[in-house]
Amino acid sequence: MSKNIANKQMICNVLMEAAANDRDIVVLCSDSRGSASATPFFEKFPSQSVEVGIAEQDLVGISAGMARVGKRPFPMSPACFITARSYEQCKVDVAYSHTNVKLIGISGGVSYGALGMSHHSAQDIACMTSIPGMRVYLPSDCWQTRKLMEVMVKDNEPAYIRVGRNAVDPVYSEDDCPFEMDKATFIAEGTDVAIIACGEMVLYAKQAGEILRQKGISASVVDMYCLKPLDEDAIVKAAQNARAVVTVEEHSPFGGLGSEVARVLGEKCPRKMAVMSLPDAPVITGTSKEVFAYYGLTGEGIAKKAEGLLNG
Amino acid sequence: MAELNLKKLCWKLRENLLDIIMSGKGGHIGGDMSVVEALVEIYFRQMDVTPENFASGDHDHFVMSKGHSVEALYAVLAQKGFFPLGEVLEKFSRFGSPFIGHPNNKLPGIEMNSGALGHGLPVAVGMAIAERMNSSAHRVYVVMGDGEQAEGSVWEGAMAGANYRLDNLCALVDRNHLQISGNTEDVMALGDLHGKWASFGWHVIDVADGNDLAELHSAFEEARVVKGKPTVIISNSIKGKGSKIMENKASWHHHLPTQEEYREIMADLKAAEENA
């Protein structure tokens, strides 16, 4: 069985496989090839690699221009910069101009830990999903990342993909990774509570489901890797079978998964609900795991929140 | 067919863009009028692009980075046959229209949406890199405003253009010296714009009269033979070119002419066309 690797490294692997057969696949970096794990791509495919230097607006604008001339650009840069620093380029040059650019945000969320709020991306789901025509994906582990990227190297629409910095424990396995494009994955189906998570939080949501099961509480666990287009049917399906819904995300409480799920449930299937997220404040200093634990974003923390909601 | 009299055409296009602005009750008339000769030179003597080859993508490329001068671009594209002028006059800025106040690529002939300043040069750099990867001879043109030079992203694109030695890229700065708040040197001084671009590694050509087709033509021809670096043409034009009531007045950045002003401007344009 293949080794578990960081999601960004899996992105590079898929891009290298695709680039061997498709000369239009291009990777662009903003002095970020090392942190993006894209160095092997730059070394193997120098004629399909573009370095733009520390200039993220340029990174996205150049990518859009290349796409307009038929290339399939994959700009890879820290999520905090490629979304916030380049936001207008993402909006105008990519989404509005409808160029086939796949924006890869690496080291997303609080991956950069102690580097502080300048390097955290806790606003990217909110800002990117609100751009018309921009798809937004937060895969949970390297195997789901592989499935997603195999679609991304072939389709022709703009998208933003956010992944974390470090290898994370897998949710799936190489041989068992159910995946349907733009459809959430039901990891477990239950009747008491639905836990809907995205990105690195899915692993903890899965753990919470197991903890709850041991306590006799039946939980659905939904991997909503597709923030946009959001799989609204999956949200309703999970909620219909449950008395309460918990959402979990590595993002601001504003405009992320919790907000979106609340919108859908409010319209279609009202349920008691809890939104678990990062705080609306600079996060405490620490590694990702330390930060998650501090804010209760763990299997135990999610299970406790779900129990409290059911008993409340 | 007789060869187009391009000098006359420039005045005709000014008449058309004035009518477009009047029909939609708004537009950026000052910068439209200053950039007409540059667009005519690019579209009628430099670029290989036609309604026939546009959809294939197999053509030269153009980005209107100073997107607010879209009325001039509409007049040029209509003349090139991408869409009828009558359709622009009927629909410009109307409810549900694709002919909006900035370029958008739902329309034939337009490759990139613009309007937010400082975007066009990086996009054009990307196009030029891609065409070179394809070993294509296609050239890339981008027109920027002079007020736009204050955008930092312009200079990110300038660095990349020189870094990649993009001699298939030619930029033009419509140097009409005015922006919405007044003279560029009072708002945010550009100072030695030639020196700035040269120091970024670009071949810089100053055009003393950016409303003179012959001068523009020789500048663009020079750009074609420059090797190893991109070219920028600093085209010293006159904002509001064509009518004494508008010329060199910042207040005409996006002023909608009154009926009386319309008649006066149109009379000036017709007279100039007659004499061209």
Side-chain angles (χ1 to χ4, degrees), chain A:
Chain A
M1 193 171 134
S2 303
K3 189 172 154 278
N4 183 44
I5 56 174
N7 295 351
K8 59 184 186 173
Q9 197 179 334
M10 185 61 91
I11 290 176
C12 183
N13 291 353
V14 176
L15 290 174
M16 287 177 69
E17 290 163 19
N21 300 311
D22 183 350
R23 290 188 55 209
D24 287 332
I25 300 270
V26 180
V27 172
L28 300 93
C29 284
S30 53
D31 197 23
S32 49
R33 74 183 77 172
S35 48
S37 303
T39 304
F41 189 101
F42 272 65
E43 285 174 352
K44 188 164 180 194
F45 301 99
S47 63
Q48 288 165 253
S49 303
V50 178
E51 175 61 69
V52 308
I54 305 168
E56 292 83 8
Q57 297 179 77
D58 215 21
L59 175 76
V60 177
I62 288 174
S63 297
M66 295 186 78
R68 182 65 216 190
V69 181
K71 296 295 177 189
R72 297 177 172 278
F74 288 77
M76 300 179 75
S77 185
C80 53
F81 305 134
I82 201 169
T83 58
R85 186 59 162 267
S86 319
Y87 189 53
E88 198 178 70
Q89 280 75 17
C90 296
K91 181 181 100 172
V92 177
D93 303 345
V94 178
Y96 183 35
S97 290
H98 197 243
T99 51
N100 181 18
V101 177
K102 305 301 194 303
L103 302 148
I104 310 290
I106 54 152
S107 303
V110 295
S111 293
Y112 281 123
L115 295 186
M117 185 164 148
S118 65
H119 279 58
H120 296 161
S121 60
Q123 302 76 28
D124 51 348
I125 299 176
C127 71
M128 299 305 275
T129 55
S130 58
I131 298 175
M134 181 68 74
R135 299 176 298 168
V136 176
Y137 301 107
L138 272 72
S140 55
D141 77 354
C142 68
W143 307 119
Q144 191 184 55
T145 299
R146 166 171 279 284
K147 295 278 177 83
L148 175 67
M149 288 305 297
E150 285 170 351
V151 176
M152 292 289 108
V153 295
K154 294 203 176 93
D155 80 17
N156 296 313
E157 305 291 321
Y160 168 61
I161 299 119
R162 185 235 268 192
V163 293
R165 186 184 196 186
N166 301 311
V168 288
D169 290 338
V171 174
Y172 309 102
S173 67
E174 185 172 19
D175 304 323
D176 184 14
C177 181
F179 181 85
E180 191 180 346
M181 193 60 193
D182 295 330
K183 298 289 178 198
T185 302
F186 276 78
I187 293 169
E189 296 199 40
T191 52
D192 294 318
V193 63
I195 305 169
I196 305 174
C198 61
E200 292 189 17
M201 294 299 108
V202 173
L203 175 70
Y204 304 119
K206 186 181 176 190
Q207 290 170 357
E210 284 159 11
I211 293 167
L212 290 167
R213 187 174 54 79
Q214 284 165 15
K215 294 183 170 188
I217 297 169
S218 167
S220 290
V221 178
V222 181
D223 181 345
M224 189 62 70
Y225 76 89
C226 45
L227 276 296
K228 191 182 179 187
L230 190 69
D231 186 354
E232 298 195 7
D233 290 345
I235 294 170
V236 172
K237 181 185 163 193
Q240 270 173 343
N241 296 331
R243 288 184 284 131
V245 175
V246 179
T247 62
V248 199
E249 64 197 299
E250 188 183 354
H251 189 266
S252 155
F254 299 108
L257 177 66
S259 301
E260 281 298 285
V261 169
R263 178 179 63 77
V264 172
L265 294 182
E267 286 176 0
K268 299 181 179 174
C269 182
R271 284 293 182 274
K272 249 198 307 193
M273 191 182 161
V275 174
M276 300 187 73
S277 68
L278 297 169
D280 179 34
V283 303
I284 195 160
T285 303
T287 63
S288 289
K289 278 192 174 172
E290 288 169 340
V291 171
F292 297 156
Y294 183 80
Y295 296 112
L297 303 171
T298 59
E300 293 79 13
I302 297 165
K304 195 174 161 193
K305 179 70 83 175
E307 270 190 289
L309 201 57
L310 288 170
N311 298 330

